[in-house]
Amino acid sequence: METGYYPLLATIDKFQERIRQHRPLAREAVLELKEDYRIVLTYSSNALEGNTLTLSETKAVLEEGITINGRPNRDHLEAIGHSKAFDYMYSLIGSDRISETDILMLHKLFYMAIEPEKAGVYRNCPVQITGSEYPVPEHKEITKLMQKFVTEMYTVKSKLHPVEYAARIHRELVFIHPFIDGNGRVARLLMNLTLLRRGYPALIVPKILRQEYIRLLEQAHKDDRPFIGFVAEQLNEAQRDYIRQFHI
């Protein structure tokens, strides 16, 4: 994977053309796909951060408003918050830019029920990422870095393969670490936003690959190619699932 992901991008392009030829989907299929994404992305993204809800429990919380006995209240709030942030992310698919306002709103919707005073605002204190040897920027630098982030990401969009672009959106936001918590979840929503805008299926990072995902993100401080390769692999798997689901 670490040296062979560029050929995989060519495979992804072929799969995407196959998907494109079988569109548009029926309205009912589009709505069903959106709800599938909401549940699976909410479950997987939260699970990567230690949330204990299972996939079926996440579905019950979101669809039926059920409280799962024995699960922390915060886990329920994270599921509900992520679902709201997902809805907002999905509403942005028709645009072609990512703004600071949008990023702040994604965080606000996810984090409002957990710590309302810290939701949708940049952190105002130092933080340290457990297990990382690389310090995150000082909090006084965040506003400038985020302004630079949204400008540069728009500038390079046309120069990169969509998979590389999505991976770098994710990487850069995590490295800036603008929020007190929830950075990974916002980064994964932004990554999927950029892919959905280009017609790709949503990408899921399975909980079972958590350690590899963290390791490659850490390595991306020096070399982001393996992380881009990892993203490419997960997207190709998402394409395969899409093709099986719709019998393409």
Side-chain angles (χ1 to χ4, degrees):
M1 183 190 70
E2 296 192 0
T3 58
Y5 73 91
Y6 281 112
L8 185 55
L9 294 185
T11 300
I12 285 170
D13 290 343
K14 291 179 182 177
F15 273 64
Q16 198 58 29
E17 177 60 21
R18 183 174 169 184
I19 290 170
R20 187 193 65 78
Q21 289 177 357
H22 286 80
R23 285 177 171 166
L25 297 173
R27 181 176 182 275
E28 294 76 11
V30 172
L31 293 175
E32 180 181 350
L33 186 63
K34 177 186 175 183
E35 291 310 303
D36 286 346
Y37 286 161
R38 178 205 307 280
I39 294 166
V40 176
L41 289 177
T42 293
Y43 159 70
S44 62
S45 196
N46 281 337
L48 289 170
E49 308 296 343
N51 190 295
T52 63
L53 293 176
T54 66
L55 178 59
S56 61
E57 289 170 346
T58 300
K59 180 179 174 69
V61 170
L62 298 184
E63 292 187 345
E64 303 172 42
I66 292 174
T67 298
I68 309 299
N69 289 334
R71 301 300 191 196
N73 185 52
R74 176 168 175 138
D75 288 4
H76 295 79
L77 296 178
E78 287 181 347
I80 295 167
H82 191 281
S83 177
K84 292 178 179 178
F86 170 87
D87 277 342
Y88 185 73
M89 179 273 288
Y90 216 84
S91 76
L92 299 174
I93 290 176
S95 177
D96 68 342
R97 299 188 77 108
I98 295 173
S99 70
E100 275 191 272
T101 300
D102 293 333
I103 296 170
L104 290 168
M105 181 57 72
L106 286 171
H107 186 265
K108 181 177 182 178
L109 291 168
F110 167 68
Y111 211 60
M112 177 58 73
I114 299 169
E115 289 187 279
E117 71 280 1
K118 298 178 181 177
V121 296
Y122 296 142
R123 60 180 167 88
N124 60 0
C125 61
V127 296
Q128 184 174 357
I129 301 177
T130 304
S132 177
E133 64 178 274
Y134 298 96
V136 298
E138 294 184 20
H139 58 277
K140 63 184 179 182
E141 300 175 353
I142 290 176
T143 298
K144 179 179 68 175
L145 290 172
M146 288 301 293
Q147 291 170 350
K148 181 180 178 183
F149 168 73
V150 296
T151 299
E152 288 189 349
M153 287 300 98
Y154 183 75
T155 301
V156 303
K157 181 172 65 171
S158 62
K159 303 175 184 177
L160 298 173
H161 188 282
V163 176
E164 293 180 89
Y165 179 69
R168 289 185 179 177
I169 285 273
H170 179 303
R171 180 199 67 184
E172 289 303 311
L173 188 83
V174 169
F175 286 179
I176 296 171
H177 215 75
F179 304 110
I180 194 70
D181 191 19
N183 296 279
R185 277 165 278 216
V186 172
R188 290 185 287 274
L189 284 169
L190 289 176
M191 176 173 65
N192 272 308
L193 172 60
T194 66
L195 292 170
L196 289 167
R197 281 176 171 173
R198 300 293 292 271
Y200 293 92
L203 180 160
I204 296 160
V205 180
K207 181 181 177 182
I208 195 173
L209 298 181
R210 180 178 184 273
Q211 292 304 319
E212 181 181 7
Y213 168 67
I214 292 173
R215 177 180 65 83
L216 294 177
L217 258 178
E218 178 78 355
Q219 185 179 344
H221 283 277
K222 292 183 177 179
D223 180 4
D224 68 355
R225 290 174 298 174
F227 179 67
I228 295 171
F230 177 85
V231 170
E233 287 179 352
Q234 306 321 307
L235 179 60
N236 187 231
E237 188 59 39
Q239 289 177 312
R240 293 176 186 274
D241 288 342
Y242 184 102
I243 287 169
R244 285 192 291 266
Q245 180 178 354
F246 294 105
H247 309 290
I248 295 175

